[in-house]
Amino acid sequence: MVKETIRVYARVKPLGRRQQAGSYSVDNEEPLPSLEITVPRELGDGFINNKRESYKFKFQKIFDQEAKQDVIFDSIAKPVAECVLAGYNGTIFAYGQTGSGKTFTVTGGAERYSDRGIIPRTLSYIFDQLQKDSSKVYTTHVSYLEIYNECGYDLLDPRHEASRMEDLPKVTIMEDSDQNIHLKNLSLQQATNEEEALNLLFLGDTNRMIAETPMNQASSRSHCIFTIHISSKEPGSATIRRSKLHLVDLAGSERVAKTGIGGQLLTEAKYINLSLHYLEQVIIALAEKNRSHIPYRNSMMTSVLRDSLGGNCMTTMIAMLAMDKRNIGESISTCRFAQRVALIKNEAVLNEEIDPRLMIVQLKKEIQDLKDELALVTGKQRTSELSQEELLQLDELIETFLKDNDPDSSLDVGADMRKIKYSFVHMKQIINHPMTSGNKLLSQDISEEKNSNEELEKLKGLLQQRDNEINILVTMLKKEKKKARDALSQLNASSAGSTGLEQSPSMSLEESQSPSKCFSLKEAKVLSSSIPRLPLLSRATGGEMSLGCQEAFEVFKRDHADSITIEDNKKLLKQRFDEAKCLGEKLNEVRNKINHLKGKVIQRQIQRAAQAVSNPSEELTFDPVEENLRMQIEEEKKSYKTVYSRFKGLKVEIEHLQLLMEKVKMKLQKDFEIWWAEEAKKFQQEKSEMVTSPNTVTVYPQFTRSSQQLSPISFSDTNRDIPNEDPAVKKNSVTFGSPTLKTRTPPPSSSTSIPLTGDSQADADILAFIKARQNILQKKGLGNK
Ligand code: ADP
Ligand code: MG
């Protein structure tokens, strides 16, 4: 039993470029390091704050702004991981306001390999250690739970791809008669190696990201608990040791009101997140001596972490602090919370149990062995043929045995020679005729057929979708042609010109908008309501973007800030690939060398043996040549090992980089979809406004000349940038609005010219129009974040 208080660390997030530093100092020298924060006198909320206050907090260790992720892992997470490997439970939780670096610390940054957080590093460490220990049989599982608004969601539920988060069964808490907590609907996924575990983490993070929308910034208000479950058993023993490590990314701890009346900092205002409030209550109760009732049951999070907060667990907290001026108040609150947490004492005990099922299996086996022995000793052998039933039973036994991947499994048919013989014969048949070996293949055939049927259905659906899309595009083109013709005839008809110009867009407003968009109105409506919560993964495989949408996506991608990251990572990945290739070549080279040297040793030995035969009088003595060759082999082996371990490290790094790239790409796609849905919605709103207010329609064309009226994020003076090089064409053009294609520009404010050079050229014109639009998007920096 290990008794100790919860370890509490602090990590200060690096200041942003435009952030003003608050005043604080770190003293890591004292027996217990301390952090001092000074709140200067200043005007707050129009009142004068006369209290000049300085706060001092003690921590196990304080990591200042420059602390890197590897140091955080080594000092904070590694000791906990070691305890978990030894069979104790462990918990690490990150607490702090939104933006203070919790996710960065727990999961890591999505950009650089070196930014990997505690979870991937811990997985790597644990699997490394497990591999080294061959004395036990280990099984590892992971689970990933998100708690949002008191509801639990399984982030690893494979059905995420097909349905929306809220449609999946909720994770609920069950309590058994011993008051042990069980989580219903939370899947435990087996991970046999680091790669599988990282993939699961990636899957969960992606599901978390997808579920989030601009309206529902779930990540700052939800708690995420990634749990690694390890069980170990010595071969042949029925005692199982189980331990779990919770890695918790808590919801943002910010309070609703930052400053109270009189600019008083640190008002104990309501928490945004009630469950964090309950967490604090539990912590307070645990820290108080002689408290018999701890209010764990008040919230899902405290129930889940019940045995990890004040019980059988090695618990560690990281207080995440943002030390810029604006956030100093929140940071002081975080530190205060941390001080209370530091008072809690935990008692961690080894979680060992005897598995009754294993015990029964063991005893049964023992009985059977004894019976068999008895039969052999007494010489009682059955002589009649095996019955049909017995044969079937044997077949089943053999099949189960062959399917079982457990190296410990054995085929036990008893001490009956007829059965033993039959088993051998049956196995021989299976080996010689793998294609006819039983129902396995049959069922495979059926499932394959089922799969291909499903595939066919899917393809049919896709085809239908494509047909629809083509129809939409064709209609768009037709409308465009017609409109061009109408506009020309109207221009000719109206001698005054200006009235005609004002009227034409108003008349064909609704139509004029549709060709310039990639989707029709109806589609936009459907899109805006459905996209934000649709799982990306399924869309990546199923529905595809329309051409216009793709076009917009290309531009968006080019201008997105993350594209630099993608490029950087691509370069890095290429570099690593090249390095890996070089190392691979080197490995081959060393291997060849070793083989060559081995050949030489054998040659030498043959020579010496031949000599001994021809000169039997000469004694076989120590051969320095052979010794030298052996030494060379040893040297080469050493270098082989170093190169190989570097090669293996590179492989892990490359895999991680690939996952990172995938993540950034998904984020990009998601950003685009959110933007797209917003644009569609905006467009719809504007459309309905235009319908209700006739004024808008008359004012509309003038917008194109009035850049001052654009909103701050829109692009100014859109006319100038229309890439219509041919002045003759420009003279002949009609201007009308083309909303939604101009990113973040209120639709009526931008314009596009459609050259009207005659009906025969209509098609070419439309192409030119599309190209012009593309150029505008490009020049305006569409999608710049
Ligand atoms: P939280 O999860 O607490 O809301 P995040 O982890 O999302 O905060 O951090 C907010 C931003 O600050 C992210 O862009 C993150 O990459 C960055 N960040 C946080 N901590 C660090 C750090 N130690 N070094 C570099 N960037 C950091
Ligand atoms: Mg976060």
Side-chain angles (χ1 to χ4, degrees), residues 419-559:
K419 288 187 181 173
I420 294 173
K421 275 183 191 159
Y422 174 79
S423 301
F424 278 116
V425 172
H426 189 69
M427 292 243 246
K428 190 176 172 182
Q429 278 172 353
I430 291 176
I431 292 167
N432 287 343
H433 304 281
M435 299 306 284
T436 54
S437 69
N439 353 11
K440 200 174 124 194
L441 279 162
L442 197 67
S443 62
Q444 212 171 323
D445 278 352
I446 293 170
S447 78
E448 261 170 26
E449 195 184 315
K450 208 175 130 204
N451 280 349
S452 66
N453 275 344
E454 274 169 16
E455 191 74 0
L456 192 68
E457 281 309 308
K458 221 164 101 183
L459 284 174
K460 271 186 192 166
L462 214 63
L463 201 65
Q464 183 65 40
Q465 216 171 315
R466 283 287 157 279
D467 273 351
N468 290 346
E469 219 165 273
I470 289 169
N471 281 340
I472 292 167
L473 287 171
V474 168
T475 326
M476 280 162 133
L477 259 163
K478 277 184 188 159
K479 275 189 188 167
E480 191 59 29
K481 267 189 191 175
K482 183 177 175 292
K483 201 159 31 41
R485 253 185 264 125
D486 288 354
L488 182 66
S489 56
Q490 248 179 34
L491 191 71
N492 291 340
S494 81
S495 50
S498 69
T499 34
L501 267 177
E502 276 169 21
Q503 269 164 13
S504 78
S506 67
M507 280 161 67
S508 59
L509 182 65
E510 194 165 315
E511 291 163 351
S512 70
Q513 283 163 342
S514 56
S516 56
K517 294 163 48 287
C518 326
F519 275 69
S520 72
L521 266 178
K522 206 167 135 211
E523 275 175 301
K525 197 170 171 183
V526 172
L527 194 78
S528 69
S529 64
S530 68
I531 268 200
R533 305 290 295 186
L534 255 177
L536 257 177
L537 295 175
S538 69
R539 261 178 291 131
T541 51
E544 274 162 28
M545 291 183 194
S546 71
L547 272 179
C549 192
Q550 258 172 29
E551 192 187 310
F553 181 54
E554 285 308 312
V555 182
F556 185 89
K557 205 162 66 180
R558 200 169 36 228
D559 297 329

Side-chain angles (χ1 to χ4, degrees), residues 98-99 101-104 208 219-220 249-250:
T98 300
K102 296 183 296 297
T103 306
F104 183 84
R208 186 185 190 192
S219 77
S220 64
D249 184 357
L250 287 174

Side-chain angles (χ1 to χ4, degrees), residues 389-405:
E389 200 180 321
E390 279 173 317
L391 287 176
L392 275 175
Q393 253 173 13
L394 271 177
D395 287 355
E396 238 168 68
L397 265 179
I398 292 166
E399 205 182 329
T400 327
F401 170 68
L402 288 176
K403 273 185 192 159
D404 194 347
N405 290 330

Side-chain angles (χ1 to χ4, degrees), residues 408-423:
D408 284 347
S409 70
S410 64
L411 176 63
D412 219 337
V413 294
D416 188 342
M417 275 322 281
R418 296 165 309 163
K419 288 187 181 173
I420 294 173
K421 275 183 191 159
Y422 174 79
S423 301

Side-chain angles (χ1 to χ4, degrees), residues 145-424:
L145 169 70
E146 175 167 39
I147 304 176
Y148 178 61
N149 271 344
E150 277 306 294
C151 289
Y153 299 96
D154 181 2
L155 288 174
L156 301 182
D157 192 324
R159 285 166 293 182
H160 264 288
E161 287 194 22
S163 42
R164 297 186 304 171
M165 185 107 135
E166 47 270 39
D167 297 336
L168 294 175
K170 303 243 179 343
V171 177
T172 46
I173 293 179
M174 318 275 275
E175 207 173 290
D176 64 18
S177 52
D178 294 332
Q179 298 195 320
N180 290 319
I181 294 287
H182 301 277
L183 295 169
K184 201 180 144 197
N185 292 329
L186 180 68
S187 61
L188 275 190
Q189 310 272 354
Q190 182 160 14
T192 47
N193 54 38
E194 181 185 349
E195 195 186 338
E196 280 177 24
L198 284 178
N199 266 322
L200 288 166
L201 170 69
F202 170 71
L203 183 77
D205 278 343
T206 311
N207 284 335
R208 186 185 190 192
M209 191 172 82
I210 290 161
E212 194 174 75
T213 67
M215 281 73 71
N216 162 26
Q217 277 294 331
S219 77
S220 64
R221 279 186 276 139
S222 70
H223 313 285
C224 273
I225 306 179
F226 184 88
T227 311
I228 308 167
H229 308 251
I230 303 176
S231 65
S232 63
K233 155 177 119 62
E234 271 162 31
S237 155
T239 311
I240 300 180
R241 212 175 251 193
R242 291 180 208 280
S243 56
K244 56 188 173 188
L245 172 57
H246 294 304
L247 300 167
V248 189
D249 184 357
L250 287 174
S253 63
E254 55 272 10
R255 287 142 213 267
V256 174
K258 245 187 190 156
T259 52
I261 302 155
Q264 179 199 355
L265 283 165
L266 319 172
T267 320
E268 294 287 337
K270 261 196 177 171
Y271 276 102
I272 288 177
N273 195 314
L274 204 60
S275 66
L276 268 188
H277 166 71
Y278 288 127
L279 174 67
E280 185 153 6
Q281 281 196 346
V282 167
I283 300 285
I284 291 170
L286 282 169
E288 273 175 25
K289 273 185 198 147
N290 311 324
R291 265 287 282 267
S292 59
H293 174 69
I294 310 291
Y296 287 114
R297 286 174 197 223
N298 280 345
S299 78
M300 179 155 193
M301 217 251 308
T302 45
S303 303
V304 174
L305 293 183
R306 184 160 87 175
D307 57 357
S308 312
L309 287 174
N312 169 23
C313 195
M314 307 282 283
T315 307
T316 296
M317 167 183 167
I318 314 172
M320 306 300 314
L321 308 170
M323 283 305 194
D324 55 291
K325 262 197 173 146
R326 282 185 49 225
N327 289 313
I328 269 273
E330 285 297 343
S331 295
I332 292 174
S333 299
T334 302
C335 288
R336 286 194 160 168
F337 180 74
Q339 304 302 291
R340 279 199 286 264
V341 172
L343 296 176
I344 302 174
K345 276 205 174 67
N346 268 349
E347 289 172 14
V349 289
L350 270 184
N351 301 295
E352 275 184 347
E353 63 187 69
I354 292 178
D355 187 333
R357 276 175 311 156
L358 282 178
M359 202 66 183
I360 291 170
V361 171
Q362 241 179 26
L363 290 174
K364 270 190 181 166
K365 192 175 171 299
E366 215 171 303
I367 291 171
Q368 193 54 46
D369 285 351
L370 288 171
K371 273 187 184 167
D372 294 344
E373 233 170 80
L374 198 68
L376 274 180
V377 172
T378 54
K380 258 194 202 169
Q381 286 289 337
R382 284 138 289 205
T383 45
S384 61
E385 290 288 333
L386 288 169
S387 70
Q388 200 60 29
E389 200 180 321
E390 279 173 317
L391 287 176
L392 275 175
Q393 253 173 13
L394 271 177
D395 287 355
E396 238 168 68
L397 265 179
I398 292 166
E399 205 182 329
T400 327
F401 170 68
L402 288 176
K403 273 185 192 159
D404 194 347
N405 290 330
D406 187 353
D408 284 347
S409 70
S410 64
L411 176 63
D412 219 337
V413 294
D416 188 342
M417 275 322 281
R418 296 165 309 163
K419 288 187 181 173
I420 294 173
K421 275 183 191 159
Y422 174 79
S423 301
F424 278 116

Side-chain angles (χ1 to χ4, degrees), residues 11-14 65 67 96-105 109 249:
R11 183 181 196 182
V12 182
K13 188 190 143 181
Q65 301 187 31
Q97 69 185 110
T98 300
S100 57
K102 296 183 296 297
T103 306
F104 183 84
T105 300
D249 184 357

